[in-house]
Amino acid sequence: MTDGSTIESVVTAGLASRLRLAIARLHRQLRQQSGTGLTLSQQSALATIEMHGPISLSEVAAIEQVAPPTVTKILGKLEEDGLVDRSVDPLDGRVTLVSCSREGRRRLEESRSRRAAWLAVRLAELAPDELERLLAATDVLEVLARPEEPR
């Protein structure tokens, strides 16, 4: 005989698996809509620079959780494409700062608009009761998406 906590843990594990797969598939489809011509790493780094810039290369590496040589390569391509600008840190001349260029911001906004439009079309295909359930679930997803508190 199984107790309630065993059944609950099996249900939770199944839900976790389904949710992970659904989010991964949706994320992949949204990525395909970006239309920026950038790799996922380049687009992520550019968005980080837009949000936090001007920012040092080491800070980009830390936020993106990649090695400094990888960031150097990514930023080299972004700079070559005119999507980021480099400058010297006024407080420490040895440090290079990067910021999002006007073209970089335009590309990011265009990508966000394309993905939002694609998702709006998909949402419009849902039945009213499905939209209501999704609206309620979105509150919970936002809670799950918050960074974990340090323990």
Side-chain angles (χ1 to χ4, degrees):
M1 181 175 198
T2 60
D3 64 13
S5 65
T6 303
I7 293 171
E8 187 175 307
S9 65
V10 169
V11 169
T12 301
L15 175 59
S17 181
R18 288 180 59 205
L19 183 59
R20 180 200 54 77
L21 186 57
I23 290 171
R25 286 179 174 159
L26 183 57
H27 183 255
R28 185 179 319 115
Q29 291 176 9
L30 283 167
R31 253 192 355 243
Q32 292 169 352
Q33 302 304 314
S34 75
T36 61
L38 300 174
T39 66
L40 180 58
S41 297
Q42 291 166 346
Q43 181 137 341
S44 181
L46 186 58
T48 292
I49 293 164
E50 179 193 38
M51 181 181 296
H52 300 284
I55 185 173
S56 71
L57 278 63
S58 61
E59 290 171 313
V60 175
I63 292 168
E64 293 294 309
Q65 299 181 355
V66 296
T70 302
V71 162
T72 300
K73 183 177 177 181
I74 290 169
L75 294 181
K77 178 65 173 144
L78 292 174
E79 184 177 29
E80 182 181 305
D81 290 348
L83 304 177
V84 296
D85 297 316
R86 290 184 190 244
S87 61
V88 175
D89 186 337
L91 301 176
D92 185 346
R94 301 167 297 172
V95 176
T96 299
L97 299 176
V98 289
S99 56
C100 198
S101 71
R102 181 177 299 145
E103 175 62 13
R105 284 189 294 282
R106 187 196 67 74
R107 281 247 203 121
L108 285 172
E109 183 53 40
E110 181 181 309
S111 172
R112 290 175 183 134
S113 293
R114 287 174 55 97
R115 289 179 289 164
W118 178 86
L119 190 53
V121 167
R122 295 302 310 267
L123 290 172
E125 297 169 357
L126 298 177
D129 68 308
E130 291 172 318
L131 281 171
E132 285 180 31
R133 292 189 342 248
L134 184 57
L135 181 60
T138 300
D139 292 340
V140 176
L141 289 171
E142 289 172 343
V143 170
L144 288 174
R146 278 191 290 215
E148 288 186 47
E149 296 292 323
R151 295 177 188 207

